[in-house]
Amino acid sequence: MKKLIRNGLLMLAVGAFAVSCADYNETDNFSVDPDPSFVEPYKDLAPVKTYINREQHPNMSLGATMKATDFNKQELAHAAAITNFDNVTFGTSLMSGNIVNEKGVMNFLDMMDLLDHVEEINADVYGSPIFANANQPDGWLKTLTAPIEISVDPIEDMEVDYTTMETFTGTVVKDGVGNKNKTGIVKNYDGNDNALKVPKRAKVYIVEGFDLDTLGKYTVTFYAKVDNIDKDETIVCTFSDNKLQEGSGDKITDKKFPIKPNKWNKMNFEDLTPAKGATTGYFMIEGNLNADVFIKSVKVSHTPDNHRPQTAQEIKDTIDYAVSAWCDGLMKINEGRIKTFDLIDEAIDTKATLDNGMYDIKHSTDQIFWQDILGSENYAPIVSREASAAFEKHGGNLTDLKFFISESGLNEDKKLESLKYWIGIWDAKGAKIDGINAKLNLSYSEDPTTQAANEDAVKVFLNKLAETGKLIRLSNFDIKYLNASGSSVTADKITSDQRQKLADFYGFVITQYMQLIPNDKQAGLCKTNMVDTSDPVGLWAKDSKQDWVRTATYKAFCDALSEQ
């Protein structure tokens, strides 16, 4: 395998690294051009992660976020991540919603490629949330909890025998033309029995008045005959406001049903359903343009819906199965290689408050949330137990396994207190919860008062996280730049001075984290975007050739991590 990365920061060669510098690098049959990011004034800086004092900060790590498909391409972003960061996380890429289809088939191909490569280069992955409300396999969960099919017997609804009827009292929507061409009973039609006559161009209910089961499937059977023509007559039919049609899109037309001439035809219509909102059971025929149609008898029956809702216990058992199946599938592919996961993501509902004043856990009436079935107090202990057992079953060492609860908006006091409340309940019920993964939402402001408040808020927030006693990880570590009026300054407009101010704030947050979070509780920082987006959030910017060029933020990371 040969891979050429013009802007490469790292080359993989049979499991070994070749880190580019100002000189041309070649390792066996791999080659990489000089890294264009090694330019003044930052060309002499080492990879960012090397500035962490591992003895003083044994748990400290630096993470980067990527899509699994981008990582598997092993191109520039992959090189930057592996060279400069301790671990990579893949956001929603490895969440069950992207892996499990509605039939429960689990597609781990991207994850398998990723983990095989990670193992080959001795890299680390921070695991995507195992359970969440978003990016979950909604189709699969709906399939699993769908009503159960049961055995049902057909129901005879109505039978009309026109052979003995003297007078027709049914509904005539449109009658034939002329006094002698009216809908009615023709006595001794075939020499013996009476029959209902439906004149040409008439619209007549040949059966009506039966009750409707909106979920049932109906069968209508009748005998029809046309006389004195040498070709088939056709009719159009409507069942309880639902006209029988064929085709699709803009080519839908009324379906025409043939009646062969001069003999009785058994007309059988199956799987009929009433139109939505229909309240009257009936079957109407129309459209016979060439001959009168005679009806001998009509019979209506239906098969009730052959499903019943699952009981609460059946749904509970089903979701227990889903938890176990997902954990087992995930950990079977993992083989103990990912050792740290977000166990639960975004659990807190700021729109629902408990009697004790804490925020509730999220619930849903439209989707299936794990906690709605397993219980708010029980689902974290259940999923941590199942995930731990599967991790060990498939080669993992439980002493290495760590679970975090990830949540955004924890700078709001009540939300953080609510998370602590729920973690306390889950801990008491035996859940394994090692840490909190706090998702940040930071911005730098050119307004001095606002920026002073931003910095104070960071200190307060970190102190409160430290008080939890859990491992603390900060993710979504991208900081936007706002001018004095509060408008964003984009990456293509930011000046060098502004970039330096932004870099200083990055350095400030890192320094405060390393000072305020106890060393043994530091689980690290995770960058969402390594390179600038439309916002100047990156350790790298892109030049006119789309090469990655180190920014002042790169140096700020190095300085802060080395505690300079």
Side-chain angles (χ1 to χ4, degrees), residues 53-72:
N53 184 331
R54 305 292 177 176
E55 293 184 2
Q56 191 171 352
H57 303 279
N59 293 324
M60 181 65 183
S61 69
L62 200 60
T65 304
M66 291 184 66
K67 291 181 179 180
T69 50
D70 290 341
F71 184 84
N72 284 340

Side-chain angles (χ1 to χ4, degrees), residues 2-12 20 30-36 73-80:
K2 180 174 182 178
K3 185 175 290 291
L4 178 66
I5 305 181
R6 181 182 180 281
N7 0 34
L9 303 180
L10 168 146
M11 285 308 301
L12 171 65
S20 66
F30 291 92
S31 63
V32 58
D33 286 345
D35 176 9
K73 292 176 183 177
Q74 299 181 34
E75 296 176 346
L76 178 58
H78 165 280

Side-chain angles (χ1 to χ4, degrees), residues 45-48 51 553-564:
L45 293 174
V48 180
Y51 289 90
T553 299
Y554 188 104
K555 184 176 187 301
F557 265 69
C558 296
D559 291 344
L561 291 170
S562 62
E563 300 179 278
Q564 292 185 8

